[in-house]
Amino acid sequence: MIIAIDGPAGSGKSTVAKIVADKLNFRYIDTGSMYRSVAWKSLQKNAALKDEDAVADIASKVKIELIYGKKGQLVFVDGENITDQLKVEEISRGAAIVAAQPMIREIMTIKQRKLGLEGKVVMDGRDIGTVVFPKADKKFFLDADPKERGRRRFIELKEKKQINNADLPTIIEQVVQRDHEDRSRKIAPLKQAKDAMLIDTTHLSIDQVVEEIIKVIVPGSQTF
Ligand code: C5P
């Protein structure tokens, strides 16, 4: 069974997807971290992020491991724990740049399909329900008001002490800009799959969103 959860930054999809996976005893796969890892590795190697051949070469060779433990998700790239470096703005921007290039998307889509075919997977991203697994068993599209999404991102960065003096309006602007790029790119743009259930999370708690999703996956479940 494959559950696809797509949506823009700050829609709550990663937090929700992780909890849904835990509750179902499924594996959670965060495809955003995969694109972030490619951007990180490319910057380490001094590759220009828009140099599609160079970045594709890196994407095809890099070993990305997503490991889940009590402290949440850890990301290892070629054996190095880079978890704390992935959420900074430079990598968010970098991920969006590499993710707009066809060769990179093809390589990542193949990796993601392989992971998904192991079964019992909750996968989150931008194109899971539309491109990676168009036949996913259940599809959800999470969205929220841009101001609220920016506010969530601001809090997340503050908690991780990665705010770099940016204020709330700046963070909202960055989130809106990245969404615009993700939605308007030619290949695999961020959009709701026709058969995905839309959940507006603006005024919902994480628990409420999780409950909505679990109700659809396990009909009649009250005590989950
Ligand atoms: O989800 P996250 O914010 O970590 O994703 C970082 C960036 O990676 C997104 O803004 C998007 O450009 C790209 N991405 C994508 N397709 C996915 C997951 C992420 O294009 N399935």
Side-chain angles (χ1 to χ4, degrees), residues 50-203:
K50 288 191 175 159
D51 182 343
E52 190 170 0
D53 288 331
V55 177
D57 187 49
I58 291 166
S60 61
K61 290 179 184 151
V62 71
K63 186 174 172 215
I64 303 168
E65 293 166 282
L66 306 173
I67 297 169
Y68 301 94
K70 286 200 180 95
K71 286 187 180 163
Q73 173 177 258
L74 296 177
V75 182
F76 287 81
V77 169
D78 292 330
E80 186 178 347
N81 182 353
I82 60 156
T83 315
D84 293 338
Q85 300 172 55
L86 282 190
K87 288 284 173 181
V88 297
E89 181 55 20
E90 185 189 19
I91 301 294
S92 299
R93 289 268 333 110
I97 293 170
V98 301
Q101 299 165 35
M103 277 159 72
I104 321 294
R105 292 213 77 85
E106 200 182 318
I107 294 163
M108 302 313 280
T109 300
I110 291 169
K111 284 186 199 263
Q112 290 155 9
R113 284 188 182 142
K114 257 192 208 150
L115 290 168
L117 290 178
E118 290 168 16
K120 289 190 166 186
V121 157
V122 179
M123 193 175 281
D124 87 335
R126 302 291 187 288
D127 62 337
I128 310 306
T130 50
V131 175
V132 181
F133 286 110
K135 291 190 178 152
D137 300 272
K138 301 283 177 204
K139 298 182 188 177
F140 301 90
F141 191 89
L142 271 47
D143 208 347
D145 181 83
K147 280 193 189 138
E148 172 60 16
R149 292 191 288 107
R151 195 187 66 83
R152 291 173 185 167
R153 181 110 187 101
F154 182 72
I155 292 169
E156 187 192 4
L157 289 172
K158 232 174 158 178
E159 279 170 359
K160 293 193 168 126
K161 299 192 172 53
Q162 291 179 339
I163 200 86
N164 284 340
N165 293 328
D167 56 9
L168 180 58
T170 307
I171 301 285
I172 293 173
E173 209 180 293
Q174 288 168 351
V175 162
V176 169
Q177 172 64 21
R178 185 148 59 96
D179 277 1
H180 173 70
E181 285 168 25
D182 287 344
R183 285 182 202 273
S184 61
R185 71 180 171 221
K186 286 201 185 78
I187 173 159
L190 165 66
K191 67 173 181 203
Q192 184 185 346
K194 282 196 189 86
D195 51 351
M197 177 180 162
L198 173 66
I199 304 178
D200 182 342
T201 70
T202 309
H203 303 292

